[in-house]
Amino acid sequence: MKKKKKKKGELMGMPKKERLIKAKEWIEKVDEDHIVKAYSKSSGLNPKNAMNELKRLGVKITPEDKQEVQQWVEKRKRHNERRKERRRRRKENEENKRLMMEYDSDETFAFIAGYTSGGAPFGITHEEMEEIERREGIEKDEMGAIHSRE
């Protein structure tokens, strides 16, 4: 399935002086309740800069508009933090899988640390590994509970 191309806002990519001139015309044409959000999308500016530019152009910005922009910024910030956390976890899981693939294991040992001079393997058994993973899972759950309280 092909990706849809994003429509470029009519004020995007313009030098500031030119954008401000065109923005005056844009403001007259637009009849929206959420003018800051619309201008932000059309100009490619972040919401705070869009609001400041609209103020300079003489648009009345209500306290509700300011609050909406603040909520929008906070929502975006939380979204980005969650995305970074998912990426970090995915990278960590991939690293763990890669490490597990590098080490030997057999039907007795989940991790073979080495071999004795007689050739017998030694390391962590599957049962010991399950216990370690169970403890780590509990620790992660506890850490998650601590972070959610903060």
Side-chain angles (χ1 to χ4, degrees):
M1 185 174 181
K2 285 187 177 181
K3 282 188 174 181
K4 290 182 180 179
K5 285 188 178 180
K6 281 188 174 180
K7 281 189 175 179
K8 196 172 183 182
E10 58 186 279
L11 302 173
M12 255 186 211
M14 290 184 182
K16 185 175 182 176
K17 287 182 181 180
E18 189 178 334
R19 184 178 65 238
L20 290 173
I21 293 168
K22 295 265 187 185
K24 289 177 185 175
E25 298 169 13
W26 181 88
I27 291 167
E28 292 172 7
K29 289 191 294 183
V30 173
D31 184 35
E32 290 198 30
D33 294 334
H34 308 286
I35 192 165
V36 176
K37 192 172 185 177
Y39 186 70
S40 175
K41 287 185 176 187
S42 181
S43 64
L45 296 173
N46 68 45
K48 286 184 178 179
N49 289 343
M51 183 170 59
N52 291 335
E53 241 180 55
L54 287 170
K55 279 184 196 176
R56 276 187 241 125
L57 292 167
V59 175
K60 299 275 188 211
I61 304 296
T62 65
E64 291 83 22
D65 289 335
K66 289 180 183 178
Q67 186 177 2
E68 184 179 318
V69 167
Q70 186 62 33
Q71 288 172 347
W72 192 25
V73 169
E74 289 298 320
K75 183 179 178 183
R76 190 73 200 157
K77 191 175 181 180
R78 285 190 306 273
H79 170 77
N80 287 340
E81 287 171 358
R82 285 191 306 266
R83 200 165 89 215
K84 282 181 185 178
E85 179 62 23
R86 280 194 306 266
R87 281 186 187 155
R88 187 193 62 73
R89 267 190 266 125
R90 189 177 323 123
K91 188 175 181 180
E92 189 177 278
N93 287 340
E94 288 171 0
E95 181 68 15
N96 288 341
K97 285 178 186 176
R98 188 186 62 76
L99 287 173
M100 291 304 289
M101 297 301 284
E102 287 181 8
Y103 298 110
D104 286 340
S105 66
D106 62 14
E107 63 278 346
T108 307
F109 294 99
F111 169 73
I112 298 176
Y115 296 88
T116 64
S117 60
F122 63 90
I124 300 174
T125 65
H126 289 286
E127 293 80 22
E128 291 169 331
M129 184 63 84
E130 288 171 6
E131 177 64 23
I132 291 168
E133 289 172 350
R134 187 185 62 74
R135 273 189 267 143
E136 284 180 354
I138 291 171
E139 288 172 8
K140 283 182 183 177
D141 290 344
E142 289 172 355
M143 290 303 289
I146 289 170
H147 288 296
S148 66
R149 282 187 237 142
E150 291 176 350

